[in-house]
Amino acid sequence: YNIATIHMEIGNDDEAMNFYRETLRVERTSLGENYRDVVLTTQHVGQVHQQRGELTEALYYFQQALDLQKKAPQQNYGAIAQTLNHIGNVLLQRGDAQGLVHAFSEALRFLRLGGKSNDELTVSGFNFYGLSKMHPEC
């Protein structure tokens, strides 16, 4: 896992992906699906796909992480909000205005449930003026 993170940080996406997938395989086998580390590794696989511009795959892994988080016996609202934020950012990159508004709205809802402020949600990839010109419905 740590080796994969180092590879991702230095831009060696292929090696990072190999290590993350192997880590995910081992974690699922030894820990099962409903374990925090499985969720984190699943998110990291999504982040590598996002870095590569493979947005459909990124969305798949972020959604998988979200599903695992929502099934957890004790939900971590902050972590769910963060995953929804990742999903919203991918949808932003894809130009899916309706999807991103829904994802960011849900992220804000979970942030508030966790007692956090709206300031902790980060939208990346576009400035709001450009987004409003491309998608006035936002």
Side-chain angles (χ1 to χ4, degrees):
Y1 179 85
N2 290 333
I3 294 171
T5 303
I6 291 168
H7 281 289
M8 189 169 96
E9 292 291 322
I10 63 173
N12 193 350
D13 294 344
D14 292 336
E15 282 300 309
M17 185 65 76
N18 290 336
F19 282 108
Y20 279 135
R21 287 188 186 218
E22 180 61 17
T23 301
L24 191 56
R25 185 191 67 74
V26 169
E27 287 173 348
R28 284 181 172 157
T29 301
S30 62
L31 302 172
E33 288 288 319
N34 295 326
Y35 199 77
R36 182 175 177 262
D37 288 348
V38 174
V39 172
L40 290 173
T41 304
T42 302
Q43 286 177 330
H44 280 99
V45 171
Q47 288 173 329
V48 173
H49 280 298
Q50 186 178 13
Q51 256 181 221
R52 292 173 152 182
E54 300 164 351
L55 302 180
T56 301
E57 292 86 353
L59 204 51
Y60 172 80
Y61 282 97
F62 289 141
Q63 186 63 52
Q64 218 178 42
L66 180 64
D67 292 343
L68 291 172
Q69 288 171 316
K70 286 184 173 181
K71 288 179 193 174
Q74 291 184 321
Q75 291 185 352
N76 179 336
Y77 296 130
I80 291 172
Q82 181 183 25
T83 302
L84 284 161
N85 189 37
H86 287 307
I87 290 170
N89 282 318
V90 170
L91 294 172
L92 176 63
Q93 286 179 272
R94 291 176 71 173
D96 180 352
Q98 285 183 324
L100 76 90
V101 168
H102 177 73
F104 288 148
S105 296
E106 282 296 292
L108 281 173
R109 186 171 73 82
F110 278 98
L111 270 176
R112 289 179 184 140
L113 284 172
K116 302 203 180 215
S117 73
N118 297 354
D119 297 338
E120 296 184 51
L121 185 69
T122 305
V123 179
S124 62
F126 265 104
N127 63 44
F128 289 110
Y129 177 77
L131 181 64
S132 70
K133 290 298 178 191
M134 289 173 49
H135 301 284
E137 66 275 17
C138 293

